[in-house]
Amino acid sequence: KNKTMEYKRIKAKLLVNLGRCEDAVSEYKSLNEVNEDATNCAHVTNAALSAYQQSDWSSAIQHFGNVLTNYATLGDTPDLLYMKSQAEYNVGDYYGTISDTGKILKSYPQHLEAYQLRGEAYFRLNEMDMAQKHFREGLKLDPEHGGCKEGHRLLKKVTKNDKRGDAAFEKGEYKEAIGLWWGAMNVDIEHLAFVRPTLLKVVRAHLALKEYAKAEEECMK
């Protein structure tokens, strides 16, 4: 009986490390015991999941951070860490997303969704080479992975038009360059990390065409 009880206590501690705190609380209940860490962890985890389900991203980040810092073991909790990464992405904390998905991939190098989300975060930061690298890593593992395929498709559409616009500008084909750059921007006009520097290129092309009013108009966007 003592061995069984000891086994249940060890199991309960492991469950807390895995972020499965409700299960840990149940194990302690079966021993007629209350463990403060397991109870607190269950409370905070439930708060994190509730905030996540309600798209209250800031609260979700705070609560997941609490669980991962104070109770669970980072390398053993990819699901919680991934949800925290998604919440960070949704509040525009792309560096946080990159950091946390990096931790997931260190322990779980075949986590396709982490490759996708990390690629999307790099894309939002206009770090196109790193974005492409992560989408491709995901596609190496699963060539039919929808998220990585779509991310890679959008990235190629943006970068292809952007590079063709640069080439046209270098040849003095300024109107062609403007059209290509707008084609790149219109893939996602809210992608400000890309749109802002590209608009400056459009302005330079209008200035080269002596279209000063148009250049000023673009500067105001």
Side-chain angles (χ1 to χ4, degrees):
K1 187 182 176 183
N2 286 342
K3 277 190 177 181
T4 302
M5 290 176 75
E6 188 56 29
Y7 166 76
K8 281 180 173 286
R9 286 192 191 99
I10 291 168
K11 182 182 176 185
K13 283 180 186 174
L14 283 171
L15 287 167
V16 171
N17 289 342
L18 292 168
R20 292 172 53 192
C21 302
E22 287 279 7
D23 293 338
V25 169
S26 296
E27 283 296 326
Y28 282 117
K29 274 184 182 171
S30 74
L31 293 163
N32 291 318
E33 294 177 5
V34 174
N35 179 277
E36 192 175 340
D37 268 0
T39 304
N40 289 343
C41 176
H43 176 72
V44 178
T45 303
N46 286 335
L49 293 171
S50 174
Y52 178 87
Q53 285 162 357
Q54 292 168 37
S55 303
D56 180 357
W57 305 121
S58 296
S59 296
I61 293 164
Q62 183 186 341
H63 292 312
F64 281 128
N66 190 348
V67 175
L68 294 163
T69 303
N70 297 313
Y71 303 105
T73 306
L74 269 181
D76 294 331
T77 52
D79 294 343
L80 297 182
L81 199 50
Y82 180 71
M83 285 188 276
K84 180 172 179 262
S85 302
Q86 284 183 306
E88 287 162 337
Y89 183 89
N90 282 312
V91 298
D93 180 7
Y94 304 124
Y95 290 108
T97 299
I98 288 165
S99 174
D100 283 337
T101 49
K103 290 169 192 170
I104 295 170
L105 290 168
K106 190 174 178 182
S107 299
Y108 297 87
Q110 295 195 321
H111 197 297
L112 287 165
E113 283 69 30
Y115 280 116
Q116 177 192 337
L117 188 58
R118 203 163 200 240
E120 288 171 352
Y122 276 119
F123 180 77
R124 301 314 299 181
L125 291 168
N126 200 25
E127 294 189 29
M128 299 302 192
D129 289 343
M130 287 299 288
Q132 184 177 63
K133 178 188 170 189
H134 283 81
F135 291 138
R136 284 183 173 173
E137 287 293 326
L139 291 170
K140 270 190 215 169
L141 294 168
D142 178 4
E144 295 306 314
H145 187 266
C148 288
K149 274 176 86 172
E150 179 62 11
H152 194 255
R153 185 188 71 78
L154 287 177
L155 182 144
K156 275 179 72 178
K157 198 171 177 184
V158 170
T159 54
K160 185 179 176 184
N161 278 333
D162 187 39
K163 285 173 184 172
R164 285 173 63 200
D166 291 347
F169 184 87
E170 289 302 316
K171 290 182 202 166
E173 297 168 357
Y174 302 123
K175 283 192 181 297
E176 175 76 6
I178 290 166
L180 288 162
W181 285 328
W182 271 110
M185 288 188 284
N186 282 329
V187 172
D188 183 355
I189 201 66
E190 293 181 6
H191 183 190
L192 297 182
F194 174 76
V195 167
R196 282 175 179 147
T198 307
L199 264 179
L200 288 177
K201 294 196 287 189
V202 168
V203 167
R204 282 201 296 271
H206 282 301
L207 289 173
L209 289 164
K210 297 185 168 52
E211 296 174 351
Y212 303 118
K214 193 68 180 169
E216 187 178 358
E217 182 190 323
E218 299 294 10
C219 278
M220 302 304 288
K221 286 182 179 175

